[in-house]
mmCIF file of all heavy atoms in Angstrom:
data_model
loop_
_atom_site.group_PDB
_atom_site.id
_atom_site.type_symbol
_atom_site.label_atom_id
_atom_site.label_comp_id
_atom_site.label_asym_id
_atom_site.label_seq_id
_atom_site.Cartn_x
_atom_site.Cartn_y
_atom_site.Cartn_z
ATOM 1 N N GLY I 78 26.940 108.209 113.423
ATOM 2 C CA GLY I 78 28.032 107.383 113.945
ATOM 3 C C GLY I 78 29.333 107.629 113.221
ATOM 4 O O GLY I 78 30.405 107.728 113.838
ATOM 5 N N LYS I 79 29.280 107.742 111.898
ATOM 6 C CA LYS I 79 30.482 108.026 111.124
ATOM 7 C C LYS I 79 31.035 109.419 111.460
ATOM 8 O O LYS I 79 32.242 109.610 111.553
ATOM 9 C CB LYS I 79 30.194 107.949 109.620
ATOM 10 C CG LYS I 79 29.931 106.565 109.132
ATOM 11 C CD LYS I 79 31.178 105.748 109.174
ATOM 12 C CE LYS I 79 31.586 105.404 107.776
ATOM 13 N NZ LYS I 79 32.716 104.499 107.746
ATOM 14 N N PHE I 80 30.134 110.385 111.662
ATOM 15 C CA PHE I 80 30.545 111.746 111.999
ATOM 16 C C PHE I 80 31.199 111.790 113.383
ATOM 17 O O PHE I 80 32.230 112.437 113.576
ATOM 18 C CB PHE I 80 29.343 112.683 111.943
ATOM 19 C CG PHE I 80 29.638 114.076 112.387
ATOM 20 C CD1 PHE I 80 30.380 114.932 111.593
ATOM 21 C CD2 PHE I 80 29.163 114.542 113.606
ATOM 22 C CE1 PHE I 80 30.655 116.226 112.004
ATOM 23 C CE2 PHE I 80 29.431 115.826 114.029
ATOM 24 C CZ PHE I 80 30.178 116.672 113.228
ATOM 25 N N LEU I 81 30.610 111.112 114.365
ATOM 26 C CA LEU I 81 31.136 111.138 115.733
ATOM 27 C C LEU I 81 32.448 110.376 115.855
ATOM 28 O O LEU I 81 33.208 110.604 116.798
ATOM 29 C CB LEU I 81 30.105 110.572 116.711
ATOM 30 C CG LEU I 81 28.891 111.448 116.964
ATOM 31 C CD1 LEU I 81 27.930 110.774 117.914
ATOM 32 C CD2 LEU I 81 29.308 112.800 117.516
ATOM 33 N N ARG I 82 32.732 109.496 114.923
ATOM 34 C CA ARG I 82 33.986 108.737 114.960
ATOM 35 C C ARG I 82 35.196 109.676 114.893
ATOM 36 O O ARG I 82 36.241 109.389 115.472
ATOM 37 C CB ARG I 82 34.022 107.752 113.813
ATOM 38 C CG ARG I 82 35.299 106.965 113.759
ATOM 39 C CD ARG I 82 35.267 105.999 112.631
ATOM 40 N NE ARG I 82 34.925 104.715 113.200
ATOM 41 C CZ ARG I 82 34.849 103.608 112.521
ATOM 42 N NH1 ARG I 82 35.037 103.626 111.220
ATOM 43 N NH2 ARG I 82 34.568 102.482 113.102
ATOM 44 N N ARG I 83 35.054 110.795 114.199
ATOM 45 C CA ARG I 83 36.159 111.760 114.097
ATOM 46 C C ARG I 83 36.568 112.289 115.459
ATOM 47 O O ARG I 83 37.727 112.577 115.700
ATOM 48 C CB ARG I 83 35.742 112.953 113.246
ATOM 49 C CG ARG I 83 35.682 112.690 111.807
ATOM 50 C CD ARG I 83 35.521 114.014 111.093
ATOM 51 N NE ARG I 83 34.589 113.826 110.002
ATOM 52 C CZ ARG I 83 34.003 114.787 109.363
ATOM 53 N NH1 ARG I 83 34.217 116.031 109.711
ATOM 54 N NH2 ARG I 83 33.185 114.534 108.379
ATOM 55 N N PHE I 84 35.596 112.427 116.347
ATOM 56 C CA PHE I 84 35.858 113.015 117.655
ATOM 57 C C PHE I 84 36.245 111.971 118.697
ATOM 58 O O PHE I 84 36.567 112.318 119.829
ATOM 59 C CB PHE I 84 34.635 113.784 118.147
ATOM 60 C CG PHE I 84 34.217 114.878 117.219
ATOM 61 C CD1 PHE I 84 33.094 114.738 116.439
ATOM 62 C CD2 PHE I 84 34.967 116.032 117.123
ATOM 63 C CE1 PHE I 84 32.706 115.740 115.566
ATOM 64 C CE2 PHE I 84 34.595 117.049 116.259
ATOM 65 C CZ PHE I 84 33.460 116.902 115.480
ATOM 66 N N ALA I 85 36.199 110.707 118.336
ATOM 67 C CA ALA I 85 36.435 109.632 119.299
ATOM 68 C C ALA I 85 37.862 109.596 119.826
ATOM 69 O O ALA I 85 38.136 108.914 120.802
ATOM 70 C CB ALA I 85 36.068 108.280 118.686
ATOM 71 N N THR I 86 38.764 110.303 119.216
ATOM 72 C CA THR I 86 40.145 110.322 119.702
ATOM 73 C C THR I 86 40.402 111.474 120.668
ATOM 74 O O THR I 86 41.430 111.497 121.336
ATOM 75 C CB THR I 86 41.122 110.438 118.515
ATOM 76 O OG1 THR I 86 40.811 111.604 117.760
ATOM 77 C CG2 THR I 86 41.038 109.211 117.628
ATOM 78 N N ASN I 87 39.477 112.407 120.764
ATOM 79 C CA ASN I 87 39.622 113.545 121.655
ATOM 80 C C ASN I 87 39.182 113.139 123.065
ATOM 81 O O ASN I 87 38.036 112.758 123.292
ATOM 82 C CB ASN I 87 38.776 114.709 121.137
ATOM 83 C CG ASN I 87 38.950 115.958 121.952
ATOM 84 O OD1 ASN I 87 39.502 115.949 123.041
ATOM 85 N ND2 ASN I 87 38.458 117.054 121.404
ATOM 86 N N GLU I 88 40.090 113.234 124.015
ATOM 87 C CA GLU I 88 39.834 112.804 125.394
ATOM 88 C C GLU I 88 38.684 113.571 126.043
ATOM 89 O O GLU I 88 37.829 112.992 126.699
ATOM 90 C CB GLU I 88 41.115 112.983 126.212
ATOM 91 C CG GLU I 88 41.083 112.335 127.558
ATOM 92 C CD GLU I 88 41.271 110.839 127.481
ATOM 93 O OE1 GLU I 88 42.023 110.370 126.617
ATOM 94 O OE2 GLU I 88 40.649 110.149 128.303
ATOM 95 N N LYS I 89 38.649 114.887 125.856
ATOM 96 C CA LYS I 89 37.583 115.700 126.453
ATOM 97 C C LYS I 89 36.215 115.346 125.870
ATOM 98 O O LYS I 89 35.226 115.292 126.584
ATOM 99 C CB LYS I 89 37.864 117.182 126.243
ATOM 100 C CG LYS I 89 38.851 117.758 127.200
ATOM 101 C CD LYS I 89 38.296 119.097 127.649
ATOM 102 C CE LYS I 89 39.237 119.770 128.583
ATOM 103 N NZ LYS I 89 38.908 119.517 129.955
ATOM 104 N N PHE I 90 36.171 115.141 124.558
ATOM 105 C CA PHE I 90 34.912 114.772 123.920
ATOM 106 C C PHE I 90 34.389 113.452 124.477
ATOM 107 O O PHE I 90 33.207 113.331 124.783
ATOM 108 C CB PHE I 90 35.073 114.663 122.403
ATOM 109 C CG PHE I 90 33.842 114.155 121.709
ATOM 110 C CD1 PHE I 90 32.779 115.005 121.455
ATOM 111 C CD2 PHE I 90 33.731 112.822 121.350
ATOM 112 C CE1 PHE I 90 31.636 114.536 120.844
ATOM 113 C CE2 PHE I 90 32.595 112.346 120.736
ATOM 114 C CZ PHE I 90 31.539 113.202 120.479
ATOM 115 N N ILE I 91 35.263 112.480 124.620
ATOM 116 C CA ILE I 91 34.838 111.175 125.128
ATOM 117 C C ILE I 91 34.345 111.298 126.565
ATOM 118 O O ILE I 91 33.335 110.692 126.927
ATOM 119 C CB ILE I 91 35.985 110.153 125.006
ATOM 120 C CG1 ILE I 91 36.239 109.863 123.533
ATOM 121 C CG2 ILE I 91 35.672 108.872 125.757
ATOM 122 C CD1 ILE I 91 37.436 109.007 123.262
ATOM 123 N N GLN I 92 35.007 112.091 127.370
ATOM 124 C CA GLN I 92 34.584 112.273 128.756
ATOM 125 C C GLN I 92 33.206 112.931 128.818
ATOM 126 O O GLN I 92 32.329 112.470 129.546
ATOM 127 C CB GLN I 92 35.608 113.110 129.512
ATOM 128 C CG GLN I 92 35.318 113.239 130.982
ATOM 129 C CD GLN I 92 36.389 114.040 131.700
ATOM 130 O OE1 GLN I 92 37.103 114.831 131.075
ATOM 131 N NE2 GLN I 92 36.497 113.854 132.991
ATOM 132 N N ARG I 93 32.992 113.971 128.043
ATOM 133 C CA ARG I 93 31.681 114.633 128.026
ATOM 134 C C ARG I 93 30.601 113.716 127.470
ATOM 135 O O ARG I 93 29.482 113.693 127.962
ATOM 136 C CB ARG I 93 31.754 115.912 127.206
ATOM 137 C CG ARG I 93 32.540 116.999 127.876
ATOM 138 C CD ARG I 93 32.599 118.234 127.026
ATOM 139 N NE ARG I 93 33.439 119.243 127.652
ATOM 140 C CZ ARG I 93 34.046 120.205 127.005
ATOM 141 N NH1 ARG I 93 33.896 120.305 125.692
ATOM 142 N NH2 ARG I 93 34.783 121.058 127.641
ATOM 143 N N PHE I 94 30.947 112.973 126.432
ATOM 144 C CA PHE I 94 30.002 112.024 125.843
ATOM 145 C C PHE I 94 29.610 110.955 126.871
ATOM 146 O O PHE I 94 28.431 110.618 127.006
ATOM 147 C CB PHE I 94 30.623 111.375 124.603
ATOM 148 C CG PHE I 94 29.709 110.449 123.883
ATOM 149 C CD1 PHE I 94 28.729 110.947 123.034
ATOM 150 C CD2 PHE I 94 29.819 109.076 124.038
ATOM 151 C CE1 PHE I 94 27.872 110.096 122.360
ATOM 152 C CE2 PHE I 94 28.969 108.217 123.377
ATOM 153 C CZ PHE I 94 27.996 108.724 122.528
ATOM 154 N N ASN I 95 30.578 110.432 127.612
ATOM 155 C CA ASN I 95 30.287 109.434 128.635
ATOM 156 C C ASN I 95 29.410 110.000 129.741
ATOM 157 O O ASN I 95 28.499 109.324 130.229
ATOM 158 C CB ASN I 95 31.584 108.870 129.217
ATOM 159 C CG ASN I 95 32.272 107.928 128.270
ATOM 160 O OD1 ASN I 95 31.674 107.448 127.302
ATOM 161 N ND2 ASN I 95 33.535 107.653 128.520
ATOM 162 N N TYR I 96 29.657 111.239 130.153
ATOM 163 C CA TYR I 96 28.802 111.879 131.155
ATOM 164 C C TYR I 96 27.366 112.005 130.642
ATOM 165 O O TYR I 96 26.407 111.710 131.353
ATOM 166 C CB TYR I 96 29.333 113.259 131.542
ATOM 167 C CG TYR I 96 30.561 113.245 132.417
ATOM 168 C CD1 TYR I 96 31.475 114.277 132.354
ATOM 169 C CD2 TYR I 96 30.808 112.220 133.316
ATOM 170 C CE1 TYR I 96 32.610 114.293 133.142
ATOM 171 C CE2 TYR I 96 31.930 112.215 134.106
ATOM 172 C CZ TYR I 96 32.837 113.249 134.019
ATOM 173 O OH TYR I 96 33.943 113.246 134.801
ATOM 174 N N ALA I 97 27.229 112.468 129.415
ATOM 175 C CA ALA I 97 25.892 112.634 128.838
ATOM 176 C C ALA I 97 25.169 111.290 128.747
ATOM 177 O O ALA I 97 23.981 111.193 129.082
ATOM 178 C CB ALA I 97 25.992 113.282 127.457
ATOM 179 N N MET I 98 25.860 110.252 128.316
ATOM 180 C CA MET I 98 25.235 108.934 128.190
ATOM 181 C C MET I 98 24.837 108.375 129.547
ATOM 182 O O MET I 98 23.782 107.755 129.684
ATOM 183 C CB MET I 98 26.166 107.951 127.475
ATOM 184 C CG MET I 98 26.376 108.242 126.017
ATOM 185 S SD MET I 98 24.844 108.149 125.070
ATOM 186 C CE MET I 98 24.592 109.846 124.647
ATOM 187 N N SER I 99 25.652 108.597 130.565
ATOM 188 C CA SER I 99 25.300 108.085 131.891
ATOM 189 C C SER I 99 24.103 108.833 132.468
ATOM 190 O O SER I 99 23.233 108.225 133.099
ATOM 191 C CB SER I 99 26.494 108.147 132.833
ATOM 192 O OG SER I 99 26.930 109.469 133.003
ATOM 193 N N VAL I 100 24.024 110.133 132.245
ATOM 194 C CA VAL I 100 22.865 110.901 132.709
ATOM 195 C C VAL I 100 21.596 110.432 131.982
ATOM 196 O O VAL I 100 20.547 110.238 132.611
ATOM 197 C CB VAL I 100 23.086 112.417 132.511
ATOM 198 C CG1 VAL I 100 21.797 113.197 132.687
ATOM 199 C CG2 VAL I 100 24.147 112.919 133.459
ATOM 200 N N LEU I 101 21.697 110.224 130.679
ATOM 201 C CA LEU I 101 20.540 109.736 129.929
ATOM 202 C C LEU I 101 20.119 108.345 130.384
ATOM 203 O O LEU I 101 18.919 108.048 130.451
ATOM 204 C CB LEU I 101 20.840 109.741 128.431
ATOM 205 C CG LEU I 101 20.946 111.122 127.796
ATOM 206 C CD1 LEU I 101 21.421 111.005 126.356
ATOM 207 C CD2 LEU I 101 19.617 111.836 127.860
ATOM 208 N N LEU I 102 21.075 107.491 130.716
ATOM 209 C CA LEU I 102 20.752 106.158 131.223
ATOM 210 C C LEU I 102 20.011 106.236 132.546
ATOM 211 O O LEU I 102 19.003 105.551 132.748
ATOM 212 C CB LEU I 102 22.035 105.337 131.369
ATOM 213 C CG LEU I 102 21.881 103.912 131.888
ATOM 214 C CD1 LEU I 102 21.042 103.083 130.927
ATOM 215 C CD2 LEU I 102 23.254 103.282 132.064
ATOM 216 N N ILE I 103 20.475 107.095 133.429
ATOM 217 C CA ILE I 103 19.804 107.275 134.721
ATOM 218 C C ILE I 103 18.394 107.813 134.517
ATOM 219 O O ILE I 103 17.439 107.355 135.156
ATOM 220 C CB ILE I 103 20.633 108.198 135.634
ATOM 221 C CG1 ILE I 103 21.922 107.486 136.057
ATOM 222 C CG2 ILE I 103 19.834 108.639 136.853
ATOM 223 C CD1 ILE I 103 22.936 108.383 136.724
ATOM 224 N N LEU I 104 18.231 108.780 133.615
ATOM 225 C CA LEU I 104 16.904 109.329 133.335
ATOM 226 C C LEU I 104 15.963 108.263 132.760
ATOM 227 O O LEU I 104 14.775 108.234 133.099
ATOM 228 C CB LEU I 104 17.001 110.515 132.392
ATOM 229 C CG LEU I 104 17.595 111.788 132.978
ATOM 230 C CD1 LEU I 104 17.762 112.851 131.893
ATOM 231 C CD2 LEU I 104 16.728 112.311 134.104
ATOM 232 N N CYS I 105 16.481 107.400 131.911
ATOM 233 C CA CYS I 105 15.648 106.315 131.366
ATOM 234 C C CYS I 105 15.162 105.384 132.466
ATOM 235 O O CYS I 105 13.999 104.982 132.482
ATOM 236 C CB CYS I 105 16.419 105.517 130.315
ATOM 237 S SG CYS I 105 16.591 106.358 128.747
ATOM 238 N N VAL I 106 16.046 105.034 133.375
ATOM 239 C CA VAL I 106 15.663 104.149 134.476
ATOM 240 C C VAL I 106 14.620 104.836 135.353
ATOM 241 O O VAL I 106 13.628 104.209 135.760
ATOM 242 C CB VAL I 106 16.902 103.732 135.312
ATOM 243 C CG1 VAL I 106 16.489 103.012 136.570
ATOM 244 C CG2 VAL I 106 17.824 102.864 134.464
ATOM 245 N N ILE I 107 14.797 106.107 135.632
ATOM 246 C CA ILE I 107 13.810 106.848 136.441
ATOM 247 C C ILE I 107 12.464 106.901 135.719
ATOM 248 O O ILE I 107 11.423 106.705 136.358
ATOM 249 C CB ILE I 107 14.327 108.270 136.743
ATOM 250 C CG1 ILE I 107 15.507 108.195 137.713
ATOM 251 C CG2 ILE I 107 13.221 109.156 137.318
ATOM 252 C CD1 ILE I 107 16.236 109.522 137.916
#
Side-chain angles (χ1 to χ4, degrees):
K79 290 290 246 186
F80 175 73
L81 289 179
R82 178 179 260 183
R83 285 191 220 165
F84 301 106
T86 57
N87 184 347
E88 192 76 35
K89 280 224 182 265
F90 174 80
I91 292 173
Q92 185 178 23
R93 289 179 184 156
F94 183 79
N95 286 344
Y96 286 150
M98 291 298 111
S99 61
V100 167
L101 290 173
L102 180 62
I103 291 169
L104 289 174
C105 285
V106 171
I107 291 171

